[in-house]
Amino acid sequence: GAGVSQSPRYKVAKRGQDVALRCDPISGHVSLFWYQQALGQGPEFLTYFQNEAQLDKSGLPSDRFFAERPEGSVSTLKIQRTQQEDSAVYLCASSIDSNQPQHFGDGTRLSIL
Amino acid sequence: AQRVTQPEKLLSVFKGAPVELKCNYSYSGSPELFWYVQYSRQRLQLLLRHISRESIKGFTADLNKGETSFHLKKPFAQEEDSAMYYCALNTGGFKTIFGAGTRLFVKA
């Protein structure tokens, strides 16, 4: 595809359930970023991958959050035992390398009931 | 701590009027600064970056290290400029820090 693809677009889960969010970056993009965007706020950095290596996960809010990119392309963000405060839009972005402009997906809107 | 501040949540101007969206950052080194824009029902996209020193859609932004600012300006606003604008800071690592955003509304 022409851009970063994220699925699902919307996810509703009950508190305590596990969720998995998928990001398909632009082909050939080495760098992949995950962000969390709460209502009325800007995106907040969660984690960064360079190919399959997770080089920075300093933004993950707790050990319930886990991200992987096993083959250096598609990435999955998993949230275990979801809490209401996890409700947000989760954005994925990719770039040719970490110094180049990031291309964003449409995001996944996660609602925890 | 590294931080980006956009003091205005909402900015409303008339078509044809000048517009300035304010951005201040806190970082003592050499920052790289960006403006991202999100139009209605579209994804977040890069508008401009300070190292490019270019004008995109009539917008310019100058890095002022003395005032730690990177304000976005356009001399004559157009209705199609109505959007959410985010200022962002990269300090050389992998982490980009975004401001909370300013919603620009250009009235006819």
Side-chain angles (χ1 to χ4, degrees), chain B:
Chain B
Q2 295 144 12
R3 188 169 55 247
V4 175
T5 303
Q6 293 180 251
E8 303 136 331
K9 278 206 168 299
L10 173 67
L11 185 62
S12 184
V13 301
F14 282 102
K15 177 182 168 183
V19 62
E20 180 180 65
L21 291 92
K22 291 185 167 50
C23 172
N24 289 91
Y25 66 91
S26 60
Y27 177 58
S28 57
S30 293
E32 186 168 8
L33 285 142
F34 306 82
W35 277 98
Y36 282 84
V37 61
Q38 188 167 25
Y39 300 102
S40 179
R41 285 186 283 278
Q42 293 187 29
R43 56 186 62 182
L44 194 61
Q45 58 185 285
L46 179 70
L47 179 62
L48 55 80
R49 58 195 301 197
H50 89 272
I51 62 171
S52 301
R53 294 184 165 274
E54 54 191 349
S55 172
I56 306 291
K57 300 186 179 183
F59 284 97
T60 58
D62 290 318
L63 176 61
N64 186 323
K65 289 189 177 180
E67 295 183 358
T68 59
S69 69
F70 188 56
H71 303 325
L72 183 68
K73 300 177 184 178
K74 185 169 181 176
F76 308 104
Q78 303 298 313
E79 288 180 78
E80 55 266 28
D81 296 329
S82 295
M84 195 75 186
Y85 291 80
Y86 295 96
C87 183
L89 165 71
N90 185 288
T91 58
F94 308 120
K95 185 183 294 190
T96 297
I97 300 165
F98 285 81
T102 298
R103 180 167 297 283
L104 174 64
F105 182 55
V106 181
K107 297 176 283 191

